[in-house]
Amino acid sequence: MINGSPKVSVIIPCYKVEKYLPKCIASLVGQTLDSYELIFINDGSPDHCIDILKEWQSRYPDRIVIIDKKNEGVWRGRWDGIAKARGEYIGFLDSDDYAEPNFLQDLYDAAKGADADIAVCGFSRTDLATGKVLSREMCDERSPFKISQDPGRLLELNGAPWNKIFRASVLKSLEDLPTKPPVLDDLLFHWLAYLEMNGEVVFVPESLVNYMVRSDSIIQTVKPQQIEPTYEAFKEVKERYTAHHAPKGKQEALDAAAFLHLGISFNYRLAASPDCDLRATIQKCTEFLNENFPTWHDSPYINGQYARLHGKTFKRLLTVSRFYKLGLLPAFLSVYSAVISHFGIDIKW
């Protein structure tokens, strides 16, 4: 084990990824940062993931930690990894992706230099079959911001944890939700963390993570039995914000995020199901948002002035909110789906 506390702990859940895992591990053991640990979670994987992990651990015993457990899913596995982590900051990586050699160094330097709660880097969406880079995201220059001063800018951050490092003391203070979210779990994990964060968010405008897109994963449908527990998990996060007396601005940011991800992303996934009555589903979603996230409709973060101040992320959000409010979301999602199918890329809103 590393003497003293490592600068960064990286948590990597593993399940049915034996084809991709060696490349992921190789990219992490070759990092330029001088002090870090890698926590691999074998989530009851039925393939040879555990054998691969043990072989690499034998070569890097001071770097690699293995949690071998029964299958409970990524959500539970990440909490297990956080409990085990010893680093000053905690990062994540999916086991079918891989990182650039300066991934941890650049994020840690940025976070440490600003005493930040979160450091965010850019990433590349890469087609797994061809190796073609489909898009580079979060790579444009962005000014740092303080969460307590402008929580609306949290909406800029992509919902995945694998291009970020978080202050470890905050993640270790979090409490799990009573309902495990079956969908949008990464997003809810972020908003649990944001509740406890008020400091700096800094950006590294360079692609440091290679997110591998599989041909069968561009559209992820939602099963009917996943709808209610997803709504319930969102409600539990909102209740936690209320119970903790979160500032008004942060609660409004959460409401806007609920609209973006339930109203748009979740309904988009539902629309891919052949037996989905999309208009009825949207109506149900609107009623849920109105009851539990009431400021979404007139959000200070979804308007022309905020969009002009803060750029394209908020302009896109404003555009799609207008389609939604006019009852035109089904038509919008139909065009959106056609574009994705034609170009083979996932456009993020």
Side-chain angles (χ1 to χ4, degrees):
M1 297 297 292
I2 298 168
N3 293 325
S5 297
K7 293 175 179 175
V8 181
S9 299
V10 186
I11 297 169
I12 312 99
C14 305
Y15 185 75
K16 290 186 178 180
V17 287
E18 63 180 5
K19 285 199 301 186
Y20 318 113
L21 186 54
K23 186 171 186 176
C24 173
I25 300 173
S27 76
L28 288 171
V29 297
Q31 290 292 302
T32 58
L33 186 67
D34 59 357
S35 174
Y36 63 96
E37 66 176 357
L38 307 172
I39 302 173
F40 289 91
I41 300 158
N42 185 57
D43 189 32
S45 187
D47 57 9
H48 293 94
C49 281
I50 189 62
D51 301 319
I52 295 169
L53 291 173
K54 287 180 177 177
E55 194 275 329
W56 279 87
Q57 187 185 49
S58 70
R59 294 159 57 186
Y60 298 92
D62 295 334
R63 185 73 71 200
I64 292 177
V65 177
I66 299 173
I67 298 176
D68 189 15
K69 61 192 287 289
K70 67 179 182 179
N71 177 247
E72 293 182 294
V74 171
W75 176 267
R76 186 64 256 164
R78 285 192 177 130
W79 291 96
D80 293 336
I82 290 168
K84 189 82 171 176
R86 299 181 301 118
E88 181 183 357
Y89 284 87
I90 294 176
F92 301 87
L93 193 68
D94 286 354
S95 47
D96 51 356
D97 300 336
Y98 67 96
E100 295 300 319
N102 52 325
F103 167 55
L104 296 180
Q105 182 78 63
D106 287 7
L107 281 174
Y108 180 78
D109 288 349
K112 192 69 174 173
D115 190 26
D117 285 343
I118 309 172
V120 186
C121 71
F123 60 94
S124 300
R125 292 183 178 273
T126 304
D127 182 76
L128 184 63
T130 65
K132 178 184 175 183
V133 175
L134 303 174
S135 64
R136 298 192 192 277
E137 300 183 27
M138 304 296 293
C139 291
D140 51 328
E141 291 283 347
R142 297 170 190 245
S143 59
F145 69 95
K146 199 163 190 173
I147 296 171
S148 61
Q149 295 175 357
D150 193 356
R153 286 195 61 196
L154 291 168
L155 294 162
E156 282 184 49
L157 308 189
N158 63 306
W162 35 251
N163 66 323
K164 305 173 182 72
I165 60 172
F166 303 81
R167 193 185 299 276
S169 59
V170 175
L171 295 195
K172 285 180 171 290
S173 74
L174 302 181
E175 294 181 15
D176 198 355
L177 295 174
T179 301
K180 182 174 80 171
V183 182
L184 299 174
D185 50 313
D186 287 350
L187 176 82
L188 290 177
F189 175 79
H190 280 78
W191 283 91
L192 284 175
Y194 298 159
L195 174 60
E196 304 296 336
M197 292 179 170
N198 293 297
E200 289 283 322
V201 177
V202 295
F203 298 92
V204 178
E206 181 182 350
S207 176
L208 301 179
V209 174
N210 298 279
Y211 173 76
M212 309 308 291
V213 178
R214 304 186 203 182
S215 59
D216 59 353
S217 66
I218 291 174
I219 297 177
Q220 297 173 312
T221 58
V222 175
K223 299 174 184 176
Q225 62 267 31
Q226 295 176 316
I227 297 175
E228 289 303 326
T230 300
Y231 276 15
E232 184 60 31
F234 266 80
K235 212 163 106 175
E236 289 168 3
V237 172
K238 178 65 173 185
E239 289 168 352
R240 197 162 292 182
Y241 271 63
T242 302
H244 284 68
H245 305 290
K248 179 184 176 186
K250 196 179 279 189
Q251 298 219 34
E252 290 171 335
L254 173 62
D255 287 11
F259 161 69
L260 173 59
H261 294 280
L262 287 178
I264 309 304
S265 300
F266 194 59
N267 283 328
Y268 168 62
R269 295 191 196 185
L270 284 166
S273 176
D275 55 353
C276 173
D277 181 343
L278 185 57
R279 290 197 177 276
T281 299
I282 292 170
Q283 179 60 34
K284 179 179 179 180
C285 180
T286 302
E287 292 170 358
F288 176 79
L289 290 170
N290 288 342
E291 181 179 353
N292 298 283
F293 301 89
T295 69
W296 78 271
H297 194 277
D298 299 302
S299 173
Y301 307 121
I302 311 176
N303 65 40
Q305 181 180 5
Y306 199 82
R308 285 191 294 273
L309 284 172
H310 295 293
K312 62 184 181 181
T313 296
F314 296 94
K315 290 177 182 176
R316 291 196 298 259
L317 179 53
L318 177 61
T319 299
V320 76
S321 74
R322 288 171 173 167
F323 278 96
Y324 190 99
K325 292 173 183 177
L326 290 170
L328 298 175
L329 186 65
F332 174 86
L333 292 181
S334 178
V335 173
Y336 177 74
S337 183
V339 171
I340 288 173
S341 297
H342 180 75
F343 291 102
I345 60 173
D346 192 357
I347 306 166
K348 293 299 177 184
W349 286 81

